[in-house]
Amino acid sequence: MRRVAKAHPVREAFLACARSHVPLALALLISIAASIVLSLLPPLVLGRIVDSLVAGDAAVAALAGLYVACVFGQGIADAAQQAAISAFGQKATHALRSRMAAKLDRLPASYFHEHEAGAVAARIVNDVDAVEALFASGVVGMVVDTCQVAGIICAIFLESPGLAALVLIALPAVVLWTRMIQRATRSARRDARSAIAQESAQIPETLRTLRMVRMLGCQRFMERRYAVAIDKGFEAQSRSNLCDAVYSPLVIAISALVIGVMMSMAGLGGPWADLFGITVGGAVTAMNYVGNVFNPISDIGMELQSIQDAGAAVTRISELLEEPEEVHATVTPADHKAAAVVLDHVSFGYQKEAPVLQDFSLRVETGERVTLVGRTGAGKSTVLSLIMGLYQPDEGSVTVLGQAAGTIAPELRRKSYGYVEQGFRRIPGTIEDEVSLGDMAETRDAAIAALKKVGLWDSVQRLPEGIETLCTSQTFSEGQFQLLGIARAIALDPPLLLLDEVTAHLDATTEARIMAALDAAAEGRTVISVSHRWADAGRGGRLIEIGASS
């Protein structure tokens, strides 16, 4: 059976951009070709000008005009090339970032459990920037410079075969030197990218735990952790800078040596003069070409380093785009008449070697209230995650409203179950946006009804713009934000309500208000909660202990 080669996701993103912007891609190719051709003309015309001056030819003025035109043409072609590269690179990276953002929506929750938020953000921001640099100053630049080198060698051969032979002898030395620098910088570039990813991951981690850090006086500890990543990045970047600093001087020295040898051999006369001898104008042309041929070689070395720099970024982006996606086996509406939740001999662990649940079974009938209790880490919140389909069990099955958990279509989930967690997660937007989450299936009337049911509507009406007031961290108290979270969960009237320690961080007065709101929200629904207080107040119905020895 023939194996089909798998397309590289980053390459596919750029090819898709080229197919979508054909005129821009053609403009890029034309500007590159014009830049290469026009870069060869000025030294050639300049040599002819010098020869005309020596011979007293009257055509000097016309040649001077042609030289100026060639220089201006080369400048315009270079500018057009850079503009086309920049425009195409921006569109390609925009498409790549859009593709990565869409990919995040399709990844299972386990991916975000295993990868820090800062590291994921670094892939979308820093790594895509590196890919853009790879395209702008790496691959495209290397193609242009390689074509220029080939063209210049051909032009030098027409002027002086001996000089062309010297250049061809010197080129392997330059290439070897370039290869040595490339190898020396490879680990430095890789270490630098890794250090940047560590730094990016630690910043949101520090912000997320800032209150705890201040309360426990752990500033020095966090500073040391961040300093380690900074030092690693500085050391790696220093090694890379050292390679950059020593590379170009040797290339320039080889260029000067080639010119010196050519002049010396031409001055020996005899057969050497036939091989190396050229006119005065030819000497000017040759010196310009020799200088120009080594400049692209030097640039190719830098471009190879840029490619090396982006190599790790391309790998990380490809890994993200190739991650297995969440699979939805069905798009049919959930069956609200079936048993609300069934967990049948479920075993699950976030890591295979450390199971959280082992052979756990639970059946919750429609309209029933169940409270999960047990020690910390026993798996109470994990059960809720399995019910919502955020994770798939390692063994056994989880059925919600007659369907396998996780197979309910995304557009139907909020109509099937609502979820309230310990703290409210605010999004940018108005009060209405906080309740609706931008769901077009939810009307304003539904949002208002949910706010009334949890007892928050009167507070909303007192805001400057009512339900259209922009929601900030100062808009509500912690308890009111929790009421807003309950309103969000029941806005689309789901038959199943999941509660995860909703009152864990509230004072007694606020807790009483939240409990009353939960009573109203739970009316007519199946409720599965993780809350000792809910159970202690007699609202939890059946108690299920998780993690108890059998």
Side-chain angles (χ1 to χ4, degrees):
M1 182 176 178
R2 185 178 180 181
R3 185 175 181 181
V4 180
K6 189 173 183 181
H8 195 286
V10 177
R11 182 173 61 249
E12 277 297 302
F14 275 82
L15 291 177
C17 181
R19 290 190 291 267
S20 301
H21 302 89
V22 174
L24 180 58
L26 289 176
L28 176 59
L29 294 176
I30 292 171
S31 63
I32 289 174
S35 177
I36 293 171
V37 172
L38 290 173
S39 68
L40 300 176
L41 295 180
L44 184 63
V45 176
L46 183 60
R48 298 300 179 265
I49 291 174
V50 173
D51 284 339
S52 296
L53 288 173
V54 172
D57 194 337
V60 173
L63 289 172
L66 179 60
Y67 177 79
V68 172
C70 289
V71 172
F72 271 100
Q74 181 185 358
I76 293 172
D78 288 343
Q81 173 187 314
Q82 292 303 318
I85 289 175
S86 178
F88 188 87
Q90 287 293 324
K91 291 184 181 297
T93 51
H94 178 273
L96 185 57
R97 279 199 175 99
S98 299
R99 187 174 178 181
M100 294 174 71
K103 179 72 175 186
L104 293 180
D105 288 338
R106 301 191 299 270
L107 290 176
S110 57
Y111 178 85
F112 301 99
H113 182 269
E114 297 166 359
H115 297 80
E116 294 181 348
V120 176
R123 294 191 183 196
I124 297 178
V125 179
N126 299 336
D127 289 344
V128 175
D129 285 343
V131 171
E132 181 180 2
L134 166 67
F135 174 77
S137 61
V139 175
V140 174
M142 190 168 65
V143 170
V144 172
D145 290 330
T146 301
C147 293
Q148 283 184 340
V149 169
I152 290 172
I153 290 176
C154 291
I156 292 175
F157 183 81
L158 295 176
E159 291 292 331
S160 172
L163 178 59
L166 287 177
V167 171
L168 291 175
I169 292 172
L171 277 179
V174 176
V175 172
L176 178 61
W177 176 239
T178 301
R179 184 62 177 168
M180 291 173 58
I181 292 296
Q182 176 187 351
R183 290 175 176 173
T185 57
R186 182 178 300 164
S187 61
R189 296 285 183 176
R190 184 172 57 249
D191 293 346
R193 299 300 306 176
S194 177
I196 290 173
Q198 291 179 17
E199 295 165 20
S200 300
Q202 287 189 27
I203 291 174
E205 176 189 348
T206 302
L207 293 176
R208 186 173 61 252
T209 60
L210 190 59
R211 293 179 63 183
M212 180 191 71
V213 170
R214 289 180 175 177
M215 180 179 65
L216 299 179
C218 298
Q219 290 91 335
R220 293 293 180 86
F221 171 74
M222 299 301 288
E223 287 175 4
R224 286 195 298 270
R225 287 188 61 201
Y226 192 68
V228 169
I230 290 290
D231 290 342
K232 286 182 179 178
F234 176 78
E235 188 272 335
Q237 192 60 48
S238 296
R239 284 189 282 134
S240 177
N241 291 340
L242 176 62
C243 293
D244 291 344
V246 301
Y247 179 80
S248 294
L250 183 60
V251 173
I252 294 172
I254 293 176
S255 174
L257 179 62
V258 168
I259 294 293
V261 171
M262 180 201 72
M263 294 298 185
S264 299
M265 299 301 289
L268 293 177
W272 298 110
D274 294 335
L275 184 62
F276 290 94
I278 50 179
T279 65
V280 176
V284 173
T285 299
M287 286 189 289
N288 274 274
Y289 276 144
V290 170
N292 290 342
V293 76
F294 287 109
N295 286 335
I297 290 293
S298 177
D299 291 340
I300 288 173
M302 299 303 106
E303 288 149 4
L304 285 172
Q305 292 177 23
S306 177
I307 292 172
Q308 290 295 325
D309 188 25
V314 170
T315 299
R316 283 193 292 267
I317 292 173
S318 299
E319 289 173 351
L320 173 63
L321 294 176
E322 292 172 349
E323 283 287 335
E325 297 181 2
E326 190 175 18
V327 178
H328 310 298
T330 178
V331 293
T332 58
D335 183 2
H336 295 178
K337 296 182 180 179
V341 173
V342 177
L343 285 83
D344 186 20
H345 298 284
V346 168
S347 295
F348 172 77
Y350 298 103
Q351 298 176 345
K352 300 294 184 181
E353 63 275 10
V356 178
L357 297 173
Q358 288 185 304
D359 196 27
F360 176 77
S361 296
L362 171 67
R363 182 182 181 91
V364 181
E365 299 295 341
T366 300
E368 188 178 6
R369 295 187 180 184
V370 171
T371 297
L372 307 178
V373 297
R375 59 177 174 78
T376 300
K380 304 184 294 297
S381 297
T382 300
V383 171
L384 299 187
S385 296
L386 291 170
I387 292 172
M388 289 185 287
L390 299 179
Y391 300 94
Q392 295 300 313
D394 299 326
E395 297 179 9
S397 63
V398 181
T399 304
V400 179
L401 303 174
Q403 293 183 212
T407 64
I408 300 175
E411 63 271 17
L412 299 176
R413 289 176 183 174
R414 292 189 69 198
K415 296 180 181 179
S416 302
Y417 54 80
Y419 173 65
V420 187
E421 54 187 324
Q422 295 182 20
F424 180 77
R425 298 182 184 271
R426 183 170 54 86
I427 66 169
T430 64
I431 304 298
E432 183 178 4
D433 294 330
E434 298 292 351
V435 178
S436 69
L437 296 176
D439 193 336
M440 300 302 294
E442 181 177 321
T443 64
R444 174 167 292 189
D445 290 341
I448 292 174
L451 291 168
K452 286 181 178 179
K453 178 161 286 190
V454 301
L456 193 58
W457 178 240
D458 290 342
S459 299
V460 171
Q461 286 184 304
R462 288 193 291 269
L463 294 172
E465 299 178 49
I467 198 172
E468 295 183 355
T469 301
L470 187 66
C471 187
T472 68
S473 58
Q474 290 78 38
T475 303
F476 294 123
S477 65
E478 185 175 0
Q480 287 175 316
F481 271 120
Q482 200 67 328
L483 293 175
L484 191 61
I486 299 172
R488 175 189 287 175
I490 65 173
L492 292 185
D493 197 26
L496 175 61
L497 186 61
L498 307 174
L499 309 174
D500 190 0
E501 294 284 6
V502 178
T503 60
H505 305 302
L506 303 177
D507 58 78
T509 303
T510 305
E511 177 187 337
R513 186 180 178 186
I514 299 298
M515 296 291 278
L518 288 175
D519 282 337
E523 186 176 352
R525 309 181 202 278
T526 305
V527 181
I528 302 178
S529 65
V530 175
S531 173
H532 289 285
R533 299 177 185 180
W534 178 264
D536 293 342
R539 296 173 169 89
R542 182 159 57 105
L543 267 64
I544 303 295
E545 186 172 2
I546 298 180
S549 58
S550 55

